[in-house]
Amino acid sequence: MEVTTPLTDFPGVGEVRAKALAKLGLRTAGDLAAYLPRAYEDRRASYTIAEAPLDQPVCIPVLLAEEPRRMNIRRGLDVTRMKVVDGASAMLVSFFNQGYLRQALHRGEEYVLYGKVALVGDHRQMTNPQFEPAARPHLTGRIVPVYPLTAGISNALLASLVEQALEALPAPEESLPGELLAAHGLAPLERCWRDIHFPPTPEALEAARRRFAFEELFYLSLGLALLRHRRSAGRGPAIRGEIGDFQALLPFALTGAQKKAIDEAAADMASGRPMNRLIQGDVGSGKTAVAAACAWLVCRAGWQCAMMAPTEILAEQHWRSLHGMLAPAGIRVGLLTGSMRASEKKKVYEELRSGGLQFVVGTHALLSEGVAFQRLGLAIADEQHRFGVEQRAALAAKAGELEDGLRPHVLVMSATPIPRTLALMIYGDLDISVIDELPPGRTPVKTFLVGESKRQRMYGFVRAQVAEGRQVYIVCPSVEENGEAEGGWDLKAVTRYARTLREQVFPDLRVGLVHGKLKAKEKEAAMAAFAAGETDVLVATTVIEVGVDVPNASLMIVENAERFGLSQLHQLRGRVGRGKHQSWCILVSDDRAPETRARLRVLTGTTDGFKIAEEDLKLRGPGDFFGARQHGLPTFRVADLNTDTRVLKEAQEAAGEVLAADPDLSRPEHRPLLDKVRKLFEEDPDMFN
Ligand code: ADP
Ligand code: MG
């Protein structure tokens, strides 16, 4: 047998089963060996009927004492009952809707049952146990894998197929270097590839799991470290300058944390190597000013700067504030978004090529073909978690060939606070600065969780805030924009809601509406009206999630709050509490599920973005946390970032050691490692070429 042997070559697998197996991604013997159990059942111990512990699955060898009897309970429900005995006692076993068992089970034969024993009165009983003949036990006495299944494929069948494949296939070649196995006490693949399916002991299972987790994390760490090395290899524009004068352009004094981040970035840019830095700071921590300071240094040194934002609204807002900050210093800042007229775009293209425009702020439009820079020195990506690793690289690549093969500096800003371990994973190729201090004078946003019954009181509160001159956001979950908001509102619902507010609830107030499907001009007009204080209440979808800044807004209401992730709610909440006024956030949800309440209560309990991110991660796992495709990283099959922190650390150190000796894996003996890393980042193999 070979890894490519088709499953139809296995006894008992015909066209129908082969089709069902293909649904699980299983087509060949090799697929079977690589198909990992989702759980295990420990069937090593057997008990007598009388001594079996209750309410946990156990094995009990029994003799069938009578022919199974089948009874109809009602239409569509029947039960097959039988008495079983062992040396000392008897018990009743029931199977629901499995009438065929009358033919499969025979009086006087011995079987091993696997299931939970329940006490009914003082009689022991079992319902729907699994069973196998005691004379030919297959699963009894072992730790049994439990696989993800599909209709028509039982776990017993799958386990048997996997076992046949493991027996017939040659052991795979070891995929980790021998020194690593020795140094980290890892079990060899030869053993693990079997033990992960059929571990002889729990210890063997743990060893196999640890090995595979290590392997996944090692290659990922290696890949990220390699990226980081490649990016920082070579030279960047050496940009030196005094940052002191920049402060004079601002209406406020920079916080200590902002200064520190600026200093770190300035040191990178002066070093002669290309900067690859992540600025991580909670919403409202003032990342824009840090970016502005870097841009200012770069433009003054005669280089160009580009800043990419995830939405048009955000790009426009950045453009407005950066233009405001930098124009007095004689720096021309331009805007480039997809919805601009072709003639406007063309003008920006020309000015970027000629160098007439020093700083351009835009959306993905910055990556379009027409864009070429005269001399790009710094590429900035805002709210990076929305861009993949690749886009970050693509923006920097826009610089093309700089004179003397220089690479531009890259600065990434993220408002999603990420737990440290995860940050190392996701941003393993970046240096990190954390802005851990908010500008002075901010009062934390008071957050409440309310149900429908409080709606009228809540509207009263909206009125009271507006009467004091404040403004209010009301956010609705929109399916159109937000894949995460499953079961959210469609556009019609959002529009209808805004109309009801306008016509019935607040006929005397000015109610605006902004959502992602509006034309850019309309969006801009709605946002601008709100920013200028011309609307009191802004009904919005999550387009306002990132970055929009209206200091006079003091109240945010989130409808169907249960539809949002915690980190996303935290981002939303960051839209208020930006001015000198006490601010509020009201989460509206009638979802009574204890998990939902617990989740939303995290927000009412803290405004610390890092704490919220940690909770979010715990509750949802890293995949969901970022949205499957957002981070551009491979997914894990075995490793679990919540529990494998120790393994992660070891794997990262191991990757560091390998690269310290051979920074770009160019030695022949490291060729297999390089191949593995390339395969891992398959979606974007160019990253490693
Ligand atoms: P974010 O980190 O969320 O991008 P912004 O850069 O948008 O934050 O800044 C949020 C608000 O705080 C803006 O109105 C900005 O002008 C203001 N701000 C930034 N830094 C300071 C500071 N050091 N002192 C006072 N206000 C500041
Ligand atoms: Mg921002």
Side-chain angles (χ1 to χ4, degrees):
M1 192 181 286
E2 292 169 48
V3 287
T4 53
T5 304
L7 295 188
T8 39
D9 283 11
F10 283 65
V13 181
E15 285 304 314
V16 176
R17 277 184 173 163
K19 248 201 191 129
L21 288 163
K23 269 200 205 129
L24 299 172
L26 302 173
R27 291 182 182 79
T28 64
D31 292 342
L32 283 176
Y35 195 62
L36 298 186
R38 63 172 174 78
Y40 301 84
E41 290 170 356
D42 191 344
R43 300 201 192 182
R44 287 173 304 159
S46 283
Y47 296 87
T48 61
I49 294 175
E51 282 170 357
L54 297 175
D55 299 320
Q56 74 184 55
V58 289
C59 286
I60 309 182
V62 296
L63 178 88
L64 191 53
E66 60 183 23
E67 289 298 342
R69 290 162 285 133
R70 180 175 167 196
M71 280 163 285
N72 264 328
I73 295 179
R74 56 177 154 81
R75 230 184 122 111
L77 183 64
D78 65 60
V79 62
T80 305
R81 286 220 165 100
M82 62 208 72
K83 192 164 103 178
V84 299
V85 296
D86 58 14
S89 30
M91 140 175 104
L92 190 67
V93 180
S94 310
F95 294 91
F96 287 95
N97 284 353
Q98 298 180 53
Y100 67 92
L101 289 178
R102 280 188 306 163
Q103 275 75 55
L105 298 170
H106 305 287
R107 184 165 63 133
E109 298 274 325
E110 291 181 58
Y111 299 95
V112 180
L113 304 177
Y114 177 77
K116 288 181 190 170
V117 176
L119 207 56
V120 179
D122 24 322
H123 296 291
R124 299 196 147 214
Q125 291 193 357
M126 263 181 143
T127 305
N128 292 340
Q130 300 176 41
F131 61 90
E132 53 183 13
R136 283 166 283 117
H138 182 59
L139 303 176
T140 305
R142 315 171 68 179
I143 296 174
V144 175
V146 180
Y147 296 99
L149 299 175
T150 186
I153 302 297
S154 72
N155 193 57
L157 172 71
L158 203 46
S160 144
L161 291 174
V162 170
E163 192 161 31
Q164 291 171 53
L166 294 178
E167 264 158 27
L169 286 173
E173 228 170 278
E174 178 54 59
S175 49
L176 282 171
E179 316 88 77
L180 270 188
L181 295 181
H184 296 274
L186 298 168
L189 182 57
E190 192 187 0
R191 189 153 85 226
C192 293
W193 80 299
R194 282 177 214 284
D195 285 0
I196 197 82
H197 294 281
F198 295 99
T201 61
E203 292 71 37
L205 173 59
E206 185 40 40
R209 230 196 55 79
R210 177 163 172 271
R211 185 230 137 89
F212 284 120
F214 183 97
E215 185 165 355
E216 283 181 327
L217 296 169
F218 171 72
Y219 282 115
L220 180 58
S221 306
L222 200 60
L224 289 171
L226 204 58
L227 265 184
R228 174 198 191 124
H229 173 76
R230 298 244 164 135
R231 296 244 175 92
S232 56
R235 293 177 309 117
I239 291 167
R240 297 193 182 84
E242 273 302 310
I243 201 66
D245 296 349
F246 173 72
Q247 173 66 73
L249 299 171
L250 300 175
F252 46 75
L254 290 163
T255 64
Q258 281 172 317
K259 274 193 213 140
K260 184 154 169 282
I262 293 171
D263 286 346
E264 286 167 345
D268 288 350
M269 292 196 290
S271 72
R273 304 191 144 274
M275 165 168 76
N276 276 296
R277 184 167 290 276
L278 169 73
I279 306 281
Q280 230 199 341
D282 214 339
V283 270
S285 60
K287 293 183 290 295
T288 316
V290 173
C294 294
W296 180 80
L297 273 176
V298 167
C299 296
R300 292 227 321 182
W303 294 83
Q304 285 171 301
C305 180
M307 177 167 183
M308 184 160 71
T311 64
E312 298 216 342
I313 290 189
L314 193 53
E316 283 156 19
Q317 183 177 314
H318 274 321
W319 172 75
R320 223 169 287 128
S321 61
L322 289 165
H323 172 75
M325 261 181 235
L326 298 175
I331 295 173
R332 288 195 54 218
V333 187
L335 176 69
L336 185 70
T337 63
S339 64
M340 279 167 46
R341 271 200 300 274
S343 59
E344 294 173 319
K345 285 187 207 164
K346 209 166 139 232
K347 189 150 171 281
V348 174
Y349 294 165
E350 274 160 17
E351 286 196 297
L352 286 176
R353 214 164 298 148
S354 70
L357 199 55
Q358 292 146 291
F359 190 177
V360 65
V361 181
T363 56
H364 288 87
L366 288 172
L367 302 178
S368 46
E369 226 166 274
V371 176
F373 293 88
Q374 192 231 359
R375 211 173 176 233
L376 184 66
L378 170 65
I380 305 173
D382 190 21
E383 309 297 349
Q384 122 81 23
H385 65 289
R386 310 196 136 217
F387 299 115
V389 175
E390 318 87 52
Q391 277 161 323
R392 215 198 282 157
L395 182 59
K398 270 289 169 195
E401 269 299 287
L402 287 175
E403 60 218 61
D404 312 325
L406 294 182
R407 292 160 169 246
H409 300 295
V410 173
L411 187 71
V412 173
M413 301 192 290
S414 171
T416 309
I418 297 165
R420 179 101 193 126
T421 47
L422 204 56
L424 285 173
M425 290 311 304
I426 307 289
Y427 299 117
D429 64 324
L430 299 174
D431 297 309
I432 301 180
S433 298
V434 176
I435 308 186
D436 51 5
E437 176 187 0
L438 291 181
R442 301 262 169 91
T443 24
V445 179
K446 291 192 178 150
T447 304
F448 301 95
L449 176 58
V450 306
E452 268 316 306
S453 61
K454 298 274 168 57
R455 182 166 293 279
Q456 291 316 316
R457 263 184 73 184
M458 182 174 85
Y459 287 150
F461 189 54
V462 170
R463 222 170 256 295
Q465 284 295 300
V466 173
E468 282 183 34
R470 300 289 83 74
Q471 290 166 283
V472 179
Y473 291 106
I474 304 186
V475 180
C476 319
S478 150
V479 264
E480 268 92 349
E481 279 156 31
N482 186 353
E484 275 169 70
E486 202 178 300
W489 304 6
D490 61 15
L491 218 49
K492 273 223 302 280
V494 175
T495 320
R496 202 179 323 118
Y497 177 79
R499 197 185 323 123
T500 310
L501 284 189
R502 202 176 274 146
E503 292 171 2
Q504 291 164 30
V505 185
F506 302 124
D508 49 331
L509 303 185
R510 299 163 300 174
V511 178
L513 170 65
V514 62
H515 57 73
K517 290 287 149 76
L518 288 177
K519 288 205 198 74
K521 279 264 175 321
E522 298 168 323
K523 254 189 280 184
E524 191 180 0
M527 283 311 304
F530 190 67
E534 289 157 14
T535 32
D536 304 306
V537 177
L538 184 64
V539 177
T541 57
T542 47
V543 289
I544 62 147
E545 178 187 347
V546 274
V548 182
D549 194 23
V550 180
N552 191 46
S554 63
L555 170 60
M556 165 160 299
I557 292 173
V558 184
E559 298 280 3
N560 283 106
E562 75 280 358
R563 302 281 178 215
F564 298 88
L566 281 188
S567 292
Q568 197 181 13
L569 285 171
H570 179 63
Q571 297 276 317
L572 282 169
R573 176 167 66 178
R575 301 304 108 215
V576 294
R578 304 199 134 220
K580 49 191 184 300
H581 318 286
Q582 173 61 56
S583 295
W584 287 268
C585 174
I586 303 181
L587 306 173
V588 187
S589 175
D590 252 0
D591 191 332
R592 299 260 124 220
E595 311 88 69
T596 312
R597 313 300 293 178
R599 210 161 62 81
L600 294 177
R601 275 217 194 87
V602 172
L603 281 168
T604 60
T606 181
T607 50
D608 180 336
F610 280 89
K611 261 198 209 139
I612 291 166
E614 250 162 49
E615 285 299 323
D616 206 14
L617 183 65
K618 256 192 243 155
L619 292 165
R620 298 201 294 162
D624 282 348
F625 184 78
F626 286 97
R629 288 166 319 273
Q630 278 176 358
H631 51 62
L633 292 179
T635 48
F636 302 119
R637 284 154 30 94
V638 178
D640 176 347
L641 290 178
N642 290 316
T643 51
D644 286 327
T645 4
R646 284 258 302 277
V647 184
L648 171 60
K649 200 155 166 268
E650 273 187 58
Q652 280 171 332
E653 281 164 12
E657 279 160 28
V658 171
L659 289 176
D662 182 12
D664 47 9
L665 296 185
S666 54
R667 287 193 204 155
E669 73 265 27
H670 285 151
R671 182 76 210 189
L673 295 186
L674 189 58
D675 288 343
K676 276 254 175 193
V677 168
R678 282 204 175 124
K679 231 174 120 199
L680 188 65
F681 286 80
E682 218 153 34
E683 284 163 43
D684 192 16
D686 289 348
M687 286 203 300
F688 293 98
N689 291 339

